[in-house]
């Protein structure tokens, strides 16, 4: 169990109104400030000469890493500190490994498919994390992927669970993680992998592997290789292994769709990744080219950014200036999200104050409606639609 600042404070002189209270020898102005720093592991307990032995031993055990981290050629496995992502964040993604067995008839073709497999989602390109070669005297050469022999893999300090029955495997995974995190029991500190033997039933395999990915396999090892299965798992994994305190975001810049020119449509949104991809998908499929100006908003969606003052008229004017957009285009109409309709006048005023002559057009509330919106745009809104 991690100690909170308040739990630590109870042991310090100020809480007991003892001599030396708030003496500042630890470099902090008060004992409470020191306790809060310690709780975040931003201070050393030895810095306080008056910390009692009981606190030292409690703190030491609270700082102990509950799960080991195992590194395979730069791939980190394990090292988790929490049971639930929202408590802090998960640390190392559940690795996905494929076994290639020389006794399989079509192992060369399978290996080729593994080598060629890659998916890109939210600007992240993902490939198979590890290829494990079984029954090979000499390991085949593989480009850009980690490889190791089955024998070496079995020697790693990882706990193996061979998947047979869902209820048994899931219960075992949960027990191991709970013992490691809640009780810091060293017997359960090894990261865990689930081994799936070859099966024709890919739907069941996908359902089971998805559950184990969430709770609590550090690695999934498959004898099967199926692109659709792995794509599904990698997409799920990407959603689970994000820091809940840091929204997914894309770079703030001007994105181009279908080779725009100086007369093309101009859209604007914030850099929240999910908003960006929803809008980008629609712009890609428009029959006309377009620009998308993505403003910096710390990864917040449009309304959240507005209410947190991360999407302001001043910031919009600054973004246009920063990218020197007025000199890149002749079109002077910027389409903003419908949710920000109330900002139209404020935006136009600030843009004018910045010496620019863009006008604001209020667009759609939902991204899926962009196609119809563009069809019905007034002809003078953009030269791209003229003629
Ligand atoms: Fe409090 Fe110890 Fe820091 Fe002094 S050195 S202020 S007693 S925590």
């Amino acid at each position: 169990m991690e100690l909170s600042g308040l739990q630590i404070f109870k042991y310090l002189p100020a809480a007991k109104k003892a001599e030396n209270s708030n003496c500042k020898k630890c470099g902090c102005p008060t004992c409470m400030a020191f306790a809060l720093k310690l709780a975040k592991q931003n201070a050393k307990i030895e810095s306080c000469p008056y910390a009692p032995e009981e606190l030292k031993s409690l703190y030491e055990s609270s700082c102990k890493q509950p799960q080991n981290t195992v590194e395979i050629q730069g791939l980190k496995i394990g090292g988790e500190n929490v049971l639930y992502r929202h408590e802090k964040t998960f640390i190392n993604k559940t690795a996905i490994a494929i076994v290639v067995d020389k006794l399989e008839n079509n192992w060369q073709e399978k290996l080729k498919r593994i080598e060629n497999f890659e998916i890109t989602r939210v600007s992240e390109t993902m490939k198979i994390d590890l290829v494990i070669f079984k029954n090979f005297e000499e390991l085949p050469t593989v480009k850009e992927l980690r490889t190791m022999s089955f024998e070496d893999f079995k020697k790693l300090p990882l706990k193996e669970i061979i998947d047979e029955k869902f209820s048994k495997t899931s219960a075992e995974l949960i027990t191991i993680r709970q013992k490691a995190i809640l009780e810091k029991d060293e017997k359960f500190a090894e990261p865990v992998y689930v081994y799936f033997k070859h099966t024709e039933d890919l739907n069941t395999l996908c359902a089971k592997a998805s559950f184990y990915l969430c709770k609590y396999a550090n690695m999934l090892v498959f004898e099967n290789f199926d692109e659709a299965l792995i794509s599904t798992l990698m997409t799920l994994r990407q959603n689970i292994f994000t820091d809940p305190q840091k929204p997914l975001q894309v770079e703030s810049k001007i994105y181009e769709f279908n080779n725009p020119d100086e007369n093309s449509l101009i859209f604007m949104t914030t850099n929240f990744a999910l908003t960006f991809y929803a809008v980008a998908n629609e712009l890609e499929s428009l029959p006309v080219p377009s620009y998308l100006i993505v403003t910096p908003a710390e990864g917040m969606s449009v309304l959240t950014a507005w209410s947190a003052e991360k999407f302001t008229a001043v910031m919009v004017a600054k973004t246009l200036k920063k990218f020197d957009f007025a000199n890149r285009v002749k079109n002077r109409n910027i389409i903003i999200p419908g949710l920000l309709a109330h900002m139209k006048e404020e935006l136009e005023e600030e843009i004018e104050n910045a010496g620019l002559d863009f006008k604001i057009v209020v667009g759609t509330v939902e991204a899926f409606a962009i196609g119809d919106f563009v069809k019905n745009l007034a002809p003078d809104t953009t030269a791209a639609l003229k003629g």
Side-chain angles (χ1 to χ4, degrees), residues 12-13 20 22-26 28 30-31 34 47-50:
L12 295 175
N20 306 314
N22 304 321
C23 72
K24 302 187 179 57
K25 282 187 183 159
C26 56
C28 295
T30 61
C31 293
F34 180 67
S47 305
C48 170
Y50 311 109

